[in-house]
Amino acid sequence: MVNFLSDSTTDIENRKAEHLRVCLEESVNFPQTTTGLERYRFSHCCLPELERSQISLQTSFLGRVLRSPLLISSMTGGTEFAKTINQRLARAAQQYGLAMGVGSQRIGLENWALMSTFAVRSQAPDILLLANLGAVQLNYGYAVDECRRAVESLEADGLILHLNPLQESVQSEGDTNFRGILAKIALLCQQLPVPVVVKEVGNGISAAIAEKLLAVGVSAIDVAGAGGTSWARVESQRAKDRRQQHLGQTFADWGLPTADCVVQIRDRFPEVPLIASGGIANGLDAAKAIALGANVVGMARPFLQAAAESETELAEFVQLAIAELETVLFCTGSASLAELQRSGVLLKIN
């Protein structure tokens, strides 16, 4: 049996360990809300006029070349088991040319000894690696210096700021002062020497909010839409307070479906670097998100579950996801990701 807890008993370490345990052991998906990707189907091409081995999944994002358009989304850190998972994920990212984001590094900034649980650059010298902090912490004593330390400690290529008002509302110890955050994000974009990416944690980013973020200098958007892991449900599972348990249950289905976020943001902002995440389960889902306009596709829980099992299980999952992506391209007559985004390849069926 996995020991999720570390030797320390600090509240934030226990919370990190509990998040990891709940995501691996409990039912935490959205009860009814879906990603919206099931409303789309690819048009099959029975004469692709391609050699499958010549198909390219290569893309570039934030100035780095990826061999496959997959991002290991931000998940974990802060415990010894989380360190093991992060190192396994980093080695897989290096081997297969994926991007990777780490979990929130707040715990490492508050206890520097734990920052090593996030530090994976030695395992993956060539990958696009993204640091991560909660944007709300800019209202709780964090500023440019803390963000810079998070980036430098990882030798990261960029910083993810995650927005999670629903999770913070359900979390018994949540930080809920979001007033003035946009102005602080603007200042951070001006002063931080790496790109800033803003993501949700599973409830989606609308085109209207994306517009505000891009206007203040955010370099990329990760929609992190509804349909996958419900963090309201996660927090409900670990809450000791009955009110918080009920809040999480009531809002377990809250959010904007991933597909809707991608379509709306891409329609309004044709050139924005865009990550689709939130309920992406496999390479077919990833291909649909790319066809809808995403540049890169993030997955969290599927990678987490595989990495928690073994490096072999993780390698098999990555290889399968890549094979699924290649199969979509081959069976739509698309030699590249750009061709997959051409008109008529993906059809809306309802």
Side-chain angles (χ1 to χ4, degrees):
M1 180 178 293
V2 173
N3 178 19
F4 292 97
L5 293 175
S6 66
D7 293 333
S8 175
T9 57
T10 65
D11 288 344
I12 191 169
E13 285 178 82
N14 285 337
R15 184 162 76 243
K16 290 287 187 182
E18 271 290 283
H19 283 160
L20 195 53
R21 183 196 65 77
V22 171
C23 286
L24 286 171
E25 295 182 352
E26 306 291 345
S27 177
V28 292
N29 275 11
F30 278 72
Q32 299 178 51
T33 302
T34 67
T35 64
L37 293 170
E38 74 285 351
R39 301 196 301 265
Y40 296 88
R41 188 179 183 89
F42 283 104
S43 177
H44 176 61
C45 175
C46 63
L47 186 61
E49 293 286 356
L50 293 173
E51 166 56 54
R52 180 176 166 135
S53 64
Q54 299 301 308
I55 288 172
S56 173
L57 297 180
Q58 182 173 298
T59 190
S60 60
F61 196 75
L62 298 180
R64 300 295 292 269
V65 175
L66 310 179
R67 295 206 308 273
S68 181
L70 298 177
L71 165 70
I72 299 172
S73 289
S74 304
M75 285 180 276
T76 192
T79 70
E80 281 303 308
F81 184 51
K83 178 178 181 178
T84 298
I85 288 176
N86 278 336
Q87 290 184 344
R88 288 176 179 175
L89 292 170
R91 287 192 288 270
Q94 176 71 20
Q95 181 176 355
Y96 296 101
L98 315 183
M100 178 178 174
V102 299
S104 173
Q105 292 167 263
R106 174 187 170 192
I107 189 172
L109 291 173
E110 295 184 4
N111 180 352
W112 194 253
L114 296 175
M115 194 61 87
S116 64
T117 65
F118 300 92
V120 297
R121 183 55 89 185
S122 63
Q123 310 293 313
D126 304 314
I127 69 169
L128 172 64
L129 179 62
L130 300 172
N132 180 17
L133 286 171
V136 73
Q137 296 310 313
L138 298 174
N139 274 350
Y140 290 86
Y142 281 44
V144 174
D145 285 346
E146 286 75 18
C147 293
R148 185 180 289 112
R149 287 173 63 203
V151 170
E152 291 176 351
S153 70
L154 261 67
E155 301 176 57
D157 302 295
L159 173 68
I160 292 172
L161 289 178
H162 63 265
L163 299 170
N164 61 337
L166 179 58
Q167 182 188 11
E168 297 288 357
S169 293
V170 175
Q171 196 176 97
S172 298
E173 61 275 33
D175 297 323
T176 55
N177 178 17
F178 276 72
R179 184 181 295 276
I181 292 292
L182 186 62
K184 293 179 178 180
I185 292 175
L187 183 63
L188 188 61
C189 291
Q190 293 169 13
Q191 298 187 5
L192 205 64
V194 296
V196 174
V197 180
V198 172
K199 68 165 289 178
E200 236 283 352
V201 300
N203 301 111
I205 295 180
S206 67
I209 297 300
E211 182 172 18
K212 292 181 179 181
L213 293 167
L214 295 171
V216 300
V218 168
S219 296
I221 301 292
D222 181 345
V223 303
T229 298
S230 167
W231 279 93
R233 205 170 180 190
V234 171
E235 296 298 350
S236 177
Q237 293 273 11
R238 57 176 293 273
K240 303 298 188 293
D241 181 285
R242 287 187 64 193
R243 186 187 69 175
Q244 301 308 112
Q245 290 173 353
H246 285 296
L247 268 177
Q249 293 163 9
T250 299
F251 289 93
D253 262 315
W254 181 274
L256 306 169
T258 298
D260 295 352
C261 295
V262 172
V263 170
Q264 292 168 15
I265 293 175
R266 179 55 75 214
D267 182 60
R268 190 176 298 189
F269 304 103
E271 303 301 324
V272 63
L274 188 60
I275 302 169
S277 68
I280 308 294
N282 51 50
L284 177 56
D285 285 346
K288 289 181 180 181
I290 290 168
L292 289 174
N295 302 104
V296 172
V297 178
M299 288 189 274
R301 198 164 178 229
F303 277 119
L304 176 63
Q305 291 171 323
E309 288 294 324
S310 67
E311 294 207 38
T312 299
E313 189 77 15
L314 178 59
E316 290 177 355
F317 173 76
V318 176
Q319 291 166 11
L320 177 59
I322 290 172
E324 289 164 342
L325 270 167
E326 290 175 341
T327 300
V328 170
L329 266 68
F330 186 56
C331 291
T332 57
S334 306
S336 66
L337 298 175
E339 290 190 15
L340 188 66
Q341 293 178 328
R342 72 185 187 276
S343 177
V345 172
L346 189 67
L347 308 175
K348 193 168 185 179
I349 55 176
N350 58 40

